[in-house]
Amino acid sequence: QVQLVESGGGLVQAGGSLRLSCAASGRTFITYAMGWFRQVPGKERDFVATINWIGSSTYYADSVKGRFTISRDNAKNTLYLQMNNLKPEDTAVYFCAARRQTDWSRKGLEYNYWGQGTQVTVHS
């Protein structure tokens, strides 16, 4: 079992930056691929970024490519999402997720564990 706790969300002006963190419990974190997703009320949860188990391969949604960076520190059991040049349309609840496979995935259904989310609000 893996427990995930996100932090780092908040209110930021358009053009600003935030770094989200996701702390994972359990010694198996290193064997899991990880991902970030986001959700706006009334809409489906959308894929944002994903990373393989060792951090050597990543994949991003087109809407965040070039602005967001996903990374992980396996020694600290922590996943990160650096978000730069934020836009109002990035406003959402951001979730981290863990997948019991070493390769990444952009499909939410392929993840086994989810955090409770952290709110990111970008105002113009």
Side-chain angles (χ1 to χ4, degrees), residues 34-37 47-51 59-61 64 70 81 105 111:
M34 302 291 294
W36 287 100
F37 294 76
F47 164 74
V48 175
T50 182
I51 189 167
Y59 187 81
Y60 297 90
V64 307
I70 188 172
L81 185 68
S105 172
Y111 285 79

Side-chain angles (χ1 to χ4, degrees), residues 78-116:
T78 304
L79 176 74
Y80 302 100
L81 185 68
Q82 177 67 43
M83 305 186 295
N84 297 330
N85 190 22
L86 282 160
K87 304 176 181 180
E89 51 263 43
D90 294 319
T91 295
V93 177
Y94 283 71
F95 299 88
C96 71
R99 162 176 157 81
R100 287 196 299 258
Q101 300 289 338
T102 57
D103 56 321
W104 56 252
S105 172
R106 55 184 174 177
K107 299 177 181 179
L109 289 176
E110 295 184 352
Y111 285 79
N112 305 101
Y113 306 103
W114 293 82
Q116 293 192 330

Side-chain angles (χ1 to χ4, degrees), residues 39-55:
Q39 188 171 25
V40 175
K43 294 189 176 181
E44 292 186 354
R45 193 172 297 183
D46 290 332
F47 164 74
V48 175
T50 182
I51 189 167
N52 70 343
W53 69 289
I54 201 170

Side-chain angles (χ1 to χ4, degrees), residues 6 8 13 15 18 35 38 41 60 67-68 81 92 101 109:
E6 302 95 336
Q13 195 169 10
L18 283 174
R38 64 188 182 186
Y60 297 90
R67 299 189 298 122
F68 291 11
L81 185 68
Q101 300 289 338
L109 289 176

Side-chain angles (χ1 to χ4, degrees), residues 7-74:
S7 63
L11 178 64
V12 64
Q13 195 169 10
S17 298
L18 283 174
R19 188 176 82 155
L20 304 184
S21 298
C22 173
S25 65
R27 292 175 292 178
T28 53
F29 174 80
I30 192 172
T31 64
Y32 291 179
M34 302 291 294
W36 287 100
F37 294 76
R38 64 188 182 186
Q39 188 171 25
V40 175
K43 294 189 176 181
E44 292 186 354
R45 193 172 297 183
D46 290 332
F47 164 74
V48 175
T50 182
I51 189 167
N52 70 343
W53 69 289
I54 201 170
S56 62
S57 179
T58 59
Y59 187 81
Y60 297 90
D62 287 343
S63 59
V64 307
K65 200 173 295 182
R67 299 189 298 122
F68 291 11
T69 302
I70 188 172
S71 62
R72 63 190 297 163
D73 185 338
N74 286 342

